[in-house]
Amino acid sequence: MSHQLPDVQASSPDVAVGLSQVGVTGVQKLVKLAREEKRPIVLMAEFEVYVDLPSGRKGIDMSRNMETIDEILEEITREEAYRVEDVCGDAAEKLLAKHDYTTEAVVEMEADLITKEETPASGRQTQNTATIIASATATEDGTREEIGAEVTGMTVCPCSQGMSEARAREKLDELGVDEETTEEFLDAVPQPGHSQRGHATLTVTADGDPDVDLGDIIDIARDAMSARIYNMAKRPDEDHMTYQSHANAKFVEDCVRSLAEDTVEQFDHLADDAVIKMVQSNDESIHEHNAHAERELTMGQLREEVTGQD
């Protein structure tokens, strides 16, 4: 004789406190990213999936929920998708529909995107890696989707470079070099400054289809730092990166401001209520700590700050 097992999760908790996010993390699925007239890119994506839990319910039926999540993600990732944020959005909406006790479903995804490119000086084939960041939040009022990326580059500290320039001016003056020639030399030959590997993150969160190209996000983030870096580099490429970065020295704050300026220029069509998140973190080379700066605001606020217009 079989016994019906009790549904403990549906019972009332001892402490009637609701929870904003309950779910699972570390769910890995293959995602096929479609491309026009090309084979799709296959991503190994990792998902985090959450729903909210009302105060009168003890749990979310974790095993049953995981089965539902797995079925939804399998269905969503079976076909090719042009926008990874839509993968999250479709999954969040299906998850919300299957839970009568929840009012919000969140699906987050990260995956490494590897693209082919050429080195800047020698023109050799190499690859670049960016971490795709996508998510969606579904409620009865609609779905908001996020798309973005984290990339790696390099920065040079303007402060230490300024000290090097001062030392160079002093020495050139001792050697009898006139001021005009000194300035011409320093303009042509950027002086040393301590460099670091930097990590730039840019995401856009909006309703519906904001028409944001992931490739544009990656380009904006890579160009926000002092110089792009490359996985493979010959000597001319190393010289290019060294010169480029020292000719474009930036504080961590400057990188976020570059993200802001280029976002407004590239994505001026975005609605005012779209949310822009910009983060720069630098792995300092002469300190044990790291440098960090970030800003999160609406596109309307960002547009007003960057252009000075409403």
Side-chain angles (χ1 to χ4, degrees), residues 82-90 134-136 145-147 209-210 212:
Y82 280 97
R83 302 169 70 240
V84 288
E85 61 269 38
D86 283 346
V87 174
C88 296
D90 291 346
S135 71
E145 295 179 350
E146 174 193 36
I147 183 62
D209 182 358
V212 174

Side-chain angles (χ1 to χ4, degrees), residues 51-88:
V51 296
D52 64 330
L53 187 68
S55 60
R57 187 180 176 91
K58 191 173 184 65
I60 66 166
D61 301 318
M62 191 64 76
S63 61
R64 206 177 311 161
N65 205 49
M66 184 59 217
E67 183 180 10
T68 300
I69 290 168
D70 195 68
E71 289 175 356
I72 289 172
L73 291 181
E74 279 293 322
E75 179 185 349
I76 296 300
T77 59
R78 190 173 297 126
E79 303 298 327
E80 297 176 11
Y82 280 97
R83 302 169 70 240
V84 288
E85 61 269 38
D86 283 346
V87 174
C88 296

Side-chain angles (χ1 to χ4, degrees), residues 206-219:
D207 297 321
D209 182 358
D211 189 24
V212 174
D213 186 83
L214 180 60
D216 291 336
I217 287 180
I218 291 172
D219 284 339

Side-chain angles (χ1 to χ4, degrees), residues 119-267:
T119 56
S122 65
R124 302 296 183 92
Q125 286 291 318
T126 186
Q127 296 182 354
N128 174 65
T129 303
T131 299
I132 301 173
I133 301 167
S135 71
T137 301
T139 67
E140 61 180 13
D141 295 326
T143 303
R144 281 179 72 83
E145 295 179 350
E146 174 193 36
I147 183 62
E150 177 186 339
V151 304
T152 303
M154 67 181 294
T155 62
V156 170
C157 175
C159 185
S160 64
Q161 188 179 58
M163 291 185 285
S164 296
E165 287 183 358
R167 184 181 301 108
R169 273 194 190 86
E170 184 178 337
K171 187 60 180 178
L172 289 168
D173 183 60
E174 290 177 4
L175 294 173
V177 178
D178 63 86
E179 185 175 344
E180 183 179 348
T181 303
T182 295
E183 293 305 320
E184 186 177 347
F185 171 78
L186 292 176
D187 285 342
V189 184
Q191 295 304 290
H194 77 83
S195 62
Q196 49 269 315
R197 184 175 294 178
H199 310 277
T201 302
L202 174 63
T203 68
V204 177
T205 303
D207 297 321
D209 182 358
D211 189 24
V212 174
D213 186 83
L214 180 60
D216 291 336
I217 287 180
I218 291 172
D219 284 339
I220 290 171
R222 292 186 76 188
D223 290 336
M225 291 172 277
S226 294
R228 295 189 178 198
I229 62 174
Y230 297 83
N231 193 37
M232 194 281 292
K234 303 296 286 183
R235 286 184 181 179
D237 304 307
E238 293 175 354
D239 178 63
H240 173 93
M241 286 184 279
T242 302
Y243 179 86
Q244 179 70 25
S245 60
H246 282 78
N248 190 29
K250 288 183 176 181
F251 290 118
V252 65
E253 301 93 332
D254 295 325
C255 296
V256 174
R257 293 181 179 114
S258 291
L259 287 170
E261 185 177 28
D262 290 348
T263 295
V264 169
E265 180 179 346
Q266 183 67 42
F267 301 134

